[in-house]
């Protein structure tokens, strides 16, 4: 069985701290590039969806047929009465 030494602990602690600062430095360099790429890709997807919606809207406008559903317009909507309205005055 091996026992832990103070120098081994300091060496391990140094590696953790060095890894943390190296990761932090690399993240500062690479994250802005990654975010730009993601935002650009999202913008392209949005523009592609807009183009597909515009073409479907133009196809819908070119169709001259208009359909109006009048089955519900003959029946007036019924409002449910849930209770009576009670007017009150505040007493001082």
């Amino acid at each position: 069985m091996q026992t832990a030494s103070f120098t081994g602990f300091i060496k391990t602690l140094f590696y953790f701290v060095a890894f943390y600062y190296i990761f932090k430095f690399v993240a500062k360099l690479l994250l802005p590039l990654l975010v730009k790429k993601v935002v650009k890709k999202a913008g392209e997807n949005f523009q592609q969806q807009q183009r597909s919606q515009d073409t479907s809207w133009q196809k819908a406008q070119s169709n001259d047929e208009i359909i109006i559903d009048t089955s519900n317009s003959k029946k007036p909507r019924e409002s449910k009465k849930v209770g009576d309205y009670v007017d009150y005055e505040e007493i001082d």
Side-chain angles (χ1 to χ4, degrees):
M1 186 169 134
Q2 293 180 340
T3 59
S5 65
F6 184 71
T7 57
F9 174 73
I10 296 297
K11 196 175 185 182
T12 304
L13 189 62
F14 173 74
Y15 285 138
F16 278 125
V17 171
F19 176 75
Y20 172 74
Y21 281 109
I22 290 170
F23 181 77
K24 192 174 167 181
F25 178 74
V26 170
K28 280 185 180 180
L29 293 176
L30 296 180
L31 280 178
L33 298 174
L34 182 65
V35 169
K36 282 182 186 179
K37 185 176 180 180
V38 168
V39 168
K40 184 178 178 182
K41 183 72 173 172
E44 288 173 357
N45 287 343
F46 179 73
Q47 287 178 353
Q48 183 180 9
Q49 287 176 354
Q50 287 296 100
R51 276 185 257 135
S52 68
Q53 285 179 358
D54 288 343
T55 57
S56 66
W57 175 252
Q58 289 173 354
K59 288 178 184 177
Q61 282 183 341
S62 66
N63 192 0
D64 293 332
E65 184 177 339
I66 298 175
I67 300 172
I68 299 174
D69 185 18
T70 59
S71 62
N72 290 335
S73 65
K74 292 180 183 178
K75 300 176 189 175
R77 292 187 176 182
E78 296 179 13
S79 61
K80 294 182 180 179
K81 284 193 170 184
V82 181
D84 296 328
Y85 176 74
V86 178
D87 192 18
Y88 67 94
E89 292 182 14
E90 194 170 315
I91 300 173
D92 292 326

PDB file of all heavy atoms in Angstrom, residues 49-77:
ATOM      1  N   GLN A  49     -36.607  29.145 -43.827  1.00  0.00           N
ATOM      2  CA  GLN A  49     -38.007  28.975 -43.443  1.00  0.00           C
ATOM      3  C   GLN A  49     -38.854  30.127 -43.973  1.00  0.00           C
ATOM      4  O   GLN A  49     -39.981  29.917 -44.426  1.00  0.00           O
ATOM      5  CB  GLN A  49     -38.136  28.890 -41.931  1.00  0.00           C
ATOM      6  CG  GLN A  49     -37.647  27.593 -41.342  1.00  0.00           C
ATOM      7  CD  GLN A  49     -37.713  27.588 -39.833  1.00  0.00           C
ATOM      8  OE1 GLN A  49     -38.015  28.594 -39.202  1.00  0.00           O
ATOM      9  NE2 GLN A  49     -37.410  26.435 -39.245  1.00  0.00           N
ATOM     10  N   GLN A  50     -38.319  31.349 -43.924  1.00  0.00           N
ATOM     11  CA  GLN A  50     -39.051  32.499 -44.441  1.00  0.00           C
ATOM     12  C   GLN A  50     -39.295  32.348 -45.948  1.00  0.00           C
ATOM     13  O   GLN A  50     -40.373  32.655 -46.434  1.00  0.00           O
ATOM     14  CB  GLN A  50     -38.287  33.789 -44.161  1.00  0.00           C
ATOM     15  CG  GLN A  50     -38.314  34.221 -42.724  1.00  0.00           C
ATOM     16  CD  GLN A  50     -39.711  34.565 -42.272  1.00  0.00           C
ATOM     17  OE1 GLN A  50     -40.353  33.755 -41.623  1.00  0.00           O
ATOM     18  NE2 GLN A  50     -40.170  35.729 -42.603  1.00  0.00           N
ATOM     19  N   ARG A  51     -38.270  31.900 -46.661  1.00  0.00           N
ATOM     20  CA  ARG A  51     -38.436  31.711 -48.108  1.00  0.00           C
ATOM     21  C   ARG A  51     -39.491  30.663 -48.409  1.00  0.00           C
ATOM     22  O   ARG A  51     -40.303  30.839 -49.313  1.00  0.00           O
ATOM     23  CB  ARG A  51     -37.107  31.327 -48.746  1.00  0.00           C
ATOM     24  CG  ARG A  51     -36.251  32.537 -49.063  1.00  0.00           C
ATOM     25  CD  ARG A  51     -34.996  32.136 -49.813  1.00  0.00           C
ATOM     26  NE  ARG A  51     -33.929  32.196 -48.799  1.00  0.00           N
ATOM     27  CZ  ARG A  51     -33.004  31.292 -48.612  1.00  0.00           C
ATOM     28  NH1 ARG A  51     -32.946  30.234 -49.375  1.00  0.00           N
ATOM     29  NH2 ARG A  51     -32.105  31.432 -47.674  1.00  0.00           N
ATOM     30  N   SER A  52     -39.501  29.573 -47.646  1.00  0.00           N
ATOM     31  CA  SER A  52     -40.490  28.525 -47.901  1.00  0.00           C
ATOM     32  C   SER A  52     -41.893  29.017 -47.555  1.00  0.00           C
ATOM     33  O   SER A  52     -42.859  28.676 -48.234  1.00  0.00           O
ATOM     34  CB  SER A  52     -40.150  27.254 -47.119  1.00  0.00           C
ATOM     35  OG  SER A  52     -40.302  27.474 -45.735  1.00  0.00           O
ATOM     36  N   GLN A  53     -42.022  29.845 -46.520  1.00  0.00           N
ATOM     37  CA  GLN A  53     -43.336  30.395 -46.177  1.00  0.00           C
ATOM     38  C   GLN A  53     -43.788  31.406 -47.221  1.00  0.00           C
ATOM     39  O   GLN A  53     -44.966  31.477 -47.548  1.00  0.00           O
ATOM     40  CB  GLN A  53     -43.296  31.047 -44.797  1.00  0.00           C
ATOM     41  CG  GLN A  53     -43.267  30.060 -43.666  1.00  0.00           C
ATOM     42  CD  GLN A  53     -43.203  30.743 -42.308  1.00  0.00           C
ATOM     43  OE1 GLN A  53     -43.136  31.964 -42.219  1.00  0.00           O
ATOM     44  NE2 GLN A  53     -43.215  29.947 -41.261  1.00  0.00           N
ATOM     45  N   ASP A  54     -42.855  32.202 -47.740  1.00  0.00           N
ATOM     46  CA  ASP A  54     -43.202  33.177 -48.775  1.00  0.00           C
ATOM     47  C   ASP A  54     -43.702  32.476 -50.031  1.00  0.00           C
ATOM     48  O   ASP A  54     -44.680  32.910 -50.642  1.00  0.00           O
ATOM     49  CB  ASP A  54     -42.005  34.064 -49.116  1.00  0.00           C
ATOM     50  CG  ASP A  54     -41.689  35.063 -48.015  1.00  0.00           C
ATOM     51  OD1 ASP A  54     -42.567  35.295 -47.152  1.00  0.00           O
ATOM     52  OD2 ASP A  54     -40.571  35.616 -48.024  1.00  0.00           O
ATOM     53  N   THR A  55     -43.056  31.390 -50.428  1.00  0.00           N
ATOM     54  CA  THR A  55     -43.491  30.687 -51.629  1.00  0.00           C
ATOM     55  C   THR A  55     -44.849  30.026 -51.402  1.00  0.00           C
ATOM     56  O   THR A  55     -45.688  30.021 -52.295  1.00  0.00           O
ATOM     57  CB  THR A  55     -42.464  29.621 -52.057  1.00  0.00           C
ATOM     58  OG1 THR A  55     -42.245  28.718 -50.977  1.00  0.00           O
ATOM     59  CG2 THR A  55     -41.154  30.266 -52.471  1.00  0.00           C
ATOM     60  N   SER A  56     -45.085  29.483 -50.192  1.00  0.00           N
ATOM     61  CA  SER A  56     -46.396  28.874 -49.927  1.00  0.00           C
ATOM     62  C   SER A  56     -47.467  29.952 -49.869  1.00  0.00           C
ATOM     63  O   SER A  56     -48.611  29.723 -50.276  1.00  0.00           O
ATOM     64  CB  SER A  56     -46.363  28.064 -48.631  1.00  0.00           C
ATOM     65  OG  SER A  56     -46.156  28.913 -47.523  1.00  0.00           O
ATOM     66  N   TRP A  57     -47.147  31.157 -49.385  1.00  0.00           N
ATOM     67  CA  TRP A  57     -48.112  32.257 -49.338  1.00  0.00           C
ATOM     68  C   TRP A  57     -48.441  32.713 -50.763  1.00  0.00           C
ATOM     69  O   TRP A  57     -49.589  32.999 -51.074  1.00  0.00           O
ATOM     70  CB  TRP A  57     -47.536  33.410 -48.535  1.00  0.00           C
ATOM     71  CG  TRP A  57     -48.398  34.632 -48.528  1.00  0.00           C
ATOM     72  CD1 TRP A  57     -48.169  35.797 -49.178  1.00  0.00           C
ATOM     73  CD2 TRP A  57     -49.641  34.799 -47.848  1.00  0.00           C
ATOM     74  NE1 TRP A  57     -49.180  36.684 -48.946  1.00  0.00           N
ATOM     75  CE2 TRP A  57     -50.103  36.094 -48.134  1.00  0.00           C
ATOM     76  CE3 TRP A  57     -50.416  33.983 -47.046  1.00  0.00           C
ATOM     77  CZ2 TRP A  57     -51.298  36.592 -47.631  1.00  0.00           C
ATOM     78  CZ3 TRP A  57     -51.602  34.487 -46.536  1.00  0.00           C
ATOM     79  CH2 TRP A  57     -52.032  35.761 -46.828  1.00  0.00           C
ATOM     80  N   GLN A  58     -47.444  32.769 -51.634  1.00  0.00           N
ATOM     81  CA  GLN A  58     -47.694  33.159 -53.017  1.00  0.00           C
ATOM     82  C   GLN A  58     -48.559  32.121 -53.720  1.00  0.00           C
ATOM     83  O   GLN A  58     -49.427  32.467 -54.514  1.00  0.00           O
ATOM     84  CB  GLN A  58     -46.377  33.352 -53.759  1.00  0.00           C
ATOM     85  CG  GLN A  58     -45.620  34.581 -53.323  1.00  0.00           C
ATOM     86  CD  GLN A  58     -44.242  34.658 -53.936  1.00  0.00           C
ATOM     87  OE1 GLN A  58     -43.808  33.732 -54.605  1.00  0.00           O
ATOM     88  NE2 GLN A  58     -43.544  35.751 -53.686  1.00  0.00           N
ATOM     89  N   LYS A  59     -48.344  30.860 -53.443  1.00  0.00           N
ATOM     90  CA  LYS A  59     -49.182  29.819 -54.028  1.00  0.00           C
ATOM     91  C   LYS A  59     -50.611  29.942 -53.539  1.00  0.00           C
ATOM     92  O   LYS A  59     -51.558  29.740 -54.289  1.00  0.00           O
ATOM     93  CB  LYS A  59     -48.634  28.432 -53.687  1.00  0.00           C
ATOM     94  CG  LYS A  59     -47.366  28.080 -54.407  1.00  0.00           C
ATOM     95  CD  LYS A  59     -46.867  26.719 -53.985  1.00  0.00           C
ATOM     96  CE  LYS A  59     -45.538  26.391 -54.627  1.00  0.00           C
ATOM     97  NZ  LYS A  59     -45.011  25.105 -54.158  1.00  0.00           N
ATOM     98  N   ALA A  60     -50.785  30.264 -52.271  1.00  0.00           N
ATOM     99  CA  ALA A  60     -52.131  30.407 -51.712  1.00  0.00           C
ATOM    100  C   ALA A  60     -52.833  31.630 -52.296  1.00  0.00           C
ATOM    101  O   ALA A  60     -54.041  31.615 -52.512  1.00  0.00           O
ATOM    102  CB  ALA A  60     -52.060  30.512 -50.192  1.00  0.00           C
ATOM    103  N   GLN A  61     -52.086  32.705 -52.557  1.00  0.00           N
ATOM    104  CA  GLN A  61     -52.689  33.906 -53.128  1.00  0.00           C
ATOM    105  C   GLN A  61     -53.081  33.692 -54.585  1.00  0.00           C
ATOM    106  O   GLN A  61     -54.037  34.282 -55.066  1.00  0.00           O
ATOM    107  CB  GLN A  61     -51.723  35.081 -53.031  1.00  0.00           C
ATOM    108  CG  GLN A  61     -51.644  35.690 -51.666  1.00  0.00           C
ATOM    109  CD  GLN A  61     -50.718  36.896 -51.644  1.00  0.00           C
ATOM    110  OE1 GLN A  61     -49.885  37.058 -52.526  1.00  0.00           O
ATOM    111  NE2 GLN A  61     -50.865  37.723 -50.638  1.00  0.00           N
ATOM    112  N   SER A  62     -52.369  32.862 -55.295  1.00  0.00           N
ATOM    113  CA  SER A  62     -52.677  32.660 -56.707  1.00  0.00           C
ATOM    114  C   SER A  62     -53.954  31.840 -56.884  1.00  0.00           C
ATOM    115  O   SER A  62     -54.556  31.865 -57.945  1.00  0.00           O
ATOM    116  CB  SER A  62     -51.503  31.968 -57.403  1.00  0.00           C
ATOM    117  OG  SER A  62     -51.345  30.663 -56.881  1.00  0.00           O
ATOM    118  N   ASN A  63     -54.378  31.121 -55.861  1.00  0.00           N
ATOM    119  CA  ASN A  63     -55.601  30.334 -55.927  1.00  0.00           C
ATOM    120  C   ASN A  63     -56.787  31.282 -55.762  1.00  0.00           C
ATOM    121  O   ASN A  63     -56.894  32.001 -54.786  1.00  0.00           O
ATOM    122  CB  ASN A  63     -55.587  29.270 -54.809  1.00  0.00           C
ATOM    123  CG  ASN A  63     -56.667  28.248 -55.006  1.00  0.00           C
ATOM    124  OD1 ASN A  63     -57.421  28.310 -55.962  1.00  0.00           O
ATOM    125  ND2 ASN A  63     -56.740  27.314 -54.073  1.00  0.00           N
ATOM    126  N   ASP A  64     -57.738  31.304 -56.736  1.00  0.00           N
ATOM    127  CA  ASP A  64     -58.848  32.245 -56.722  1.00  0.00           C
ATOM    128  C   ASP A  64     -60.043  31.751 -55.919  1.00  0.00           C
ATOM    129  O   ASP A  64     -61.010  32.476 -55.744  1.00  0.00           O
ATOM    130  CB  ASP A  64     -59.303  32.534 -58.157  1.00  0.00           C
ATOM    131  CG  ASP A  64     -58.242  33.291 -58.928  1.00  0.00           C
ATOM    132  OD1 ASP A  64     -57.473  34.026 -58.302  1.00  0.00           O
ATOM    133  OD2 ASP A  64     -58.216  33.143 -60.158  1.00  0.00           O
ATOM    134  N   GLU A  65     -60.019  30.539 -55.440  1.00  0.00           N
ATOM    135  CA  GLU A  65     -61.161  29.977 -54.740  1.00  0.00           C
ATOM    136  C   GLU A  65     -61.150  30.413 -53.279  1.00  0.00           C
ATOM    137  O   GLU A  65     -60.155  30.290 -52.580  1.00  0.00           O
ATOM    138  CB  GLU A  65     -61.077  28.441 -54.804  1.00  0.00           C
ATOM    139  CG  GLU A  65     -62.260  27.756 -54.186  1.00  0.00           C
ATOM    140  CD  GLU A  65     -62.144  26.253 -54.343  1.00  0.00           C
ATOM    141  OE1 GLU A  65     -61.414  25.794 -55.225  1.00  0.00           O
ATOM    142  OE2 GLU A  65     -62.762  25.561 -53.548  1.00  0.00           O
ATOM    143  N   ILE A  66     -62.292  30.953 -52.824  1.00  0.00           N
ATOM    144  CA  ILE A  66     -62.438  31.371 -51.436  1.00  0.00           C
ATOM    145  C   ILE A  66     -63.573  30.566 -50.831  1.00  0.00           C
ATOM    146  O   ILE A  66     -64.679  30.517 -51.371  1.00  0.00           O
ATOM    147  CB  ILE A  66     -62.741  32.882 -51.334  1.00  0.00           C
ATOM    148  CG1 ILE A  66     -61.588  33.679 -51.918  1.00  0.00           C
ATOM    149  CG2 ILE A  66     -63.022  33.275 -49.899  1.00  0.00           C
ATOM    150  CD1 ILE A  66     -61.853  35.159 -51.980  1.00  0.00           C
ATOM    151  N   ILE A  67     -63.311  29.950 -49.710  1.00  0.00           N
ATOM    152  CA  ILE A  67     -64.312  29.121 -49.042  1.00  0.00           C
ATOM    153  C   ILE A  67     -64.664  29.772 -47.712  1.00  0.00           C
ATOM    154  O   ILE A  67     -63.790  30.072 -46.904  1.00  0.00           O
ATOM    155  CB  ILE A  67     -63.766  27.692 -48.798  1.00  0.00           C
ATOM    156  CG1 ILE A  67     -63.415  27.055 -50.144  1.00  0.00           C
ATOM    157  CG2 ILE A  67     -64.781  26.858 -48.040  1.00  0.00           C
ATOM    158  CD1 ILE A  67     -62.699  25.738 -50.002  1.00  0.00           C
ATOM    159  N   ILE A  68     -65.966  29.988 -47.503  1.00  0.00           N
ATOM    160  CA  ILE A  68     -66.444  30.571 -46.253  1.00  0.00           C
ATOM    161  C   ILE A  68     -67.331  29.547 -45.574  1.00  0.00           C
ATOM    162  O   ILE A  68     -68.318  29.079 -46.150  1.00  0.00           O
ATOM    163  CB  ILE A  68     -67.227  31.878 -46.500  1.00  0.00           C
ATOM    164  CG1 ILE A  68     -66.314  32.900 -47.175  1.00  0.00           C
ATOM    165  CG2 ILE A  68     -67.788  32.417 -45.192  1.00  0.00           C
ATOM    166  CD1 ILE A  68     -67.022  34.155 -47.591  1.00  0.00           C
ATOM    167  N   ASP A  69     -66.994  29.207 -44.351  1.00  0.00           N
ATOM    168  CA  ASP A  69     -67.774  28.237 -43.586  1.00  0.00           C
ATOM    169  C   ASP A  69     -68.859  28.988 -42.829  1.00  0.00           C
ATOM    170  O   ASP A  69     -68.584  29.762 -41.918  1.00  0.00           O
ATOM    171  CB  ASP A  69     -66.859  27.482 -42.618  1.00  0.00           C
ATOM    172  CG  ASP A  69     -67.603  26.369 -41.896  1.00  0.00           C
ATOM    173  OD1 ASP A  69     -68.678  25.967 -42.368  1.00  0.00           O
ATOM    174  OD2 ASP A  69     -67.073  25.909 -40.865  1.00  0.00           O
ATOM    175  N   THR A  70     -70.113  28.787 -43.221  1.00  0.00           N
ATOM    176  CA  THR A  70     -71.229  29.504 -42.601  1.00  0.00           C
ATOM    177  C   THR A  70     -72.047  28.617 -41.683  1.00  0.00           C
ATOM    178  O   THR A  70     -73.097  29.011 -41.216  1.00  0.00           O
ATOM    179  CB  THR A  70     -72.164  30.076 -43.687  1.00  0.00           C
ATOM    180  OG1 THR A  70     -72.643  28.995 -44.483  1.00  0.00           O
ATOM    181  CG2 THR A  70     -71.444  31.082 -44.539  1.00  0.00           C
ATOM    182  N   SER A  71     -71.590  27.426 -41.402  1.00  0.00           N
ATOM    183  CA  SER A  71     -72.378  26.525 -40.566  1.00  0.00           C
ATOM    184  C   SER A  71     -72.486  27.031 -39.132  1.00  0.00           C
ATOM    185  O   SER A  71     -73.515  26.853 -38.487  1.00  0.00           O
ATOM    186  CB  SER A  71     -71.777  25.126 -40.584  1.00  0.00           C
ATOM    187  OG  SER A  71     -70.469  25.164 -40.053  1.00  0.00           O
ATOM    188  N   ASN A  72     -71.487  27.683 -38.613  1.00  0.00           N
ATOM    189  CA  ASN A  72     -71.523  28.192 -37.249  1.00  0.00           C
ATOM    190  C   ASN A  72     -72.134  29.581 -37.157  1.00  0.00           C
ATOM    191  O   ASN A  72     -72.505  30.020 -36.088  1.00  0.00           O
ATOM    192  CB  ASN A  72     -70.118  28.219 -36.647  1.00  0.00           C
ATOM    193  CG  ASN A  72     -69.596  26.826 -36.373  1.00  0.00           C
ATOM    194  OD1 ASN A  72     -70.377  25.895 -36.189  1.00  0.00           O
ATOM    195  ND2 ASN A  72     -68.277  26.687 -36.327  1.00  0.00           N
ATOM    196  N   SER A  73     -72.247  30.296 -38.269  1.00  0.00           N
ATOM    197  CA  SER A  73     -72.751  31.663 -38.227  1.00  0.00           C
ATOM    198  C   SER A  73     -74.264  31.710 -38.032  1.00  0.00           C
ATOM    199  O   SER A  73     -74.795  32.717 -37.617  1.00  0.00           O
ATOM    200  CB  SER A  73     -72.352  32.416 -39.482  1.00  0.00           C
ATOM    201  OG  SER A  73     -72.977  31.824 -40.614  1.00  0.00           O
ATOM    202  N   LYS A  74     -74.986  30.632 -38.315  1.00  0.00           N
ATOM    203  CA  LYS A  74     -76.445  30.616 -38.143  1.00  0.00           C
ATOM    204  C   LYS A  74     -76.827  30.468 -36.678  1.00  0.00           C
ATOM    205  O   LYS A  74     -77.869  30.921 -36.260  1.00  0.00           O
ATOM    206  CB  LYS A  74     -77.055  29.479 -38.961  1.00  0.00           C
ATOM    207  CG  LYS A  74     -76.938  29.701 -40.449  1.00  0.00           C
ATOM    208  CD  LYS A  74     -77.553  28.577 -41.221  1.00  0.00           C
ATOM    209  CE  LYS A  74     -77.352  28.801 -42.723  1.00  0.00           C
ATOM    210  NZ  LYS A  74     -77.892  27.703 -43.507  1.00  0.00           N
ATOM    211  N   LYS A  75     -75.987  29.828 -35.899  1.00  0.00           N
ATOM    212  CA  LYS A  75     -76.274  29.614 -34.489  1.00  0.00           C
ATOM    213  C   LYS A  75     -75.569  30.694 -33.675  1.00  0.00           C
ATOM    214  O   LYS A  75     -74.355  30.788 -33.689  1.00  0.00           O
ATOM    215  CB  LYS A  75     -75.760  28.247 -34.034  1.00  0.00           C
ATOM    216  CG  LYS A  75     -76.361  27.094 -34.770  1.00  0.00           C
ATOM    217  CD  LYS A  75     -75.719  25.806 -34.312  1.00  0.00           C
ATOM    218  CE  LYS A  75     -76.138  24.648 -35.176  1.00  0.00           C
ATOM    219  NZ  LYS A  75     -75.427  23.420 -34.815  1.00  0.00           N
ATOM    220  N   PRO A  76     -76.344  31.513 -32.959  1.00  0.00           N
ATOM    221  CA  PRO A  76     -75.671  32.496 -32.116  1.00  0.00           C
ATOM    222  C   PRO A  76     -75.002  31.797 -30.930  1.00  0.00           C
ATOM    223  O   PRO A  76     -75.478  30.777 -30.451  1.00  0.00           O
ATOM    224  CB  PRO A  76     -76.801  33.415 -31.658  1.00  0.00           C
ATOM    225  CG  PRO A  76     -78.025  32.593 -31.765  1.00  0.00           C
ATOM    226  CD  PRO A  76     -77.790  31.620 -32.887  1.00  0.00           C
ATOM    227  N   ARG A  77     -73.961  32.365 -30.491  1.00  0.00           N
ATOM    228  CA  ARG A  77     -73.253  31.774 -29.363  1.00  0.00           C
ATOM    229  C   ARG A  77     -74.037  32.016 -28.082  1.00  0.00           C
ATOM    230  O   ARG A  77     -74.497  33.118 -27.819  1.00  0.00           O
ATOM    231  CB  ARG A  77     -71.858  32.365 -29.220  1.00  0.00           C
ATOM    232  CG  ARG A  77     -70.960  31.975 -30.336  1.00  0.00           C
ATOM    233  CD  ARG A  77     -69.568  32.433 -30.070  1.00  0.00           C
ATOM    234  NE  ARG A  77     -68.674  31.965 -31.128  1.00  0.00           N
ATOM    235  CZ  ARG A  77     -67.395  32.175 -31.140  1.00  0.00           C
ATOM    236  NH1 ARG A  77     -66.833  32.863 -30.176  1.00  0.00           N
ATOM    237  NH2 ARG A  77     -66.660  31.713 -32.119  1.00  0.00           N
TER     238      ARG A  77
END
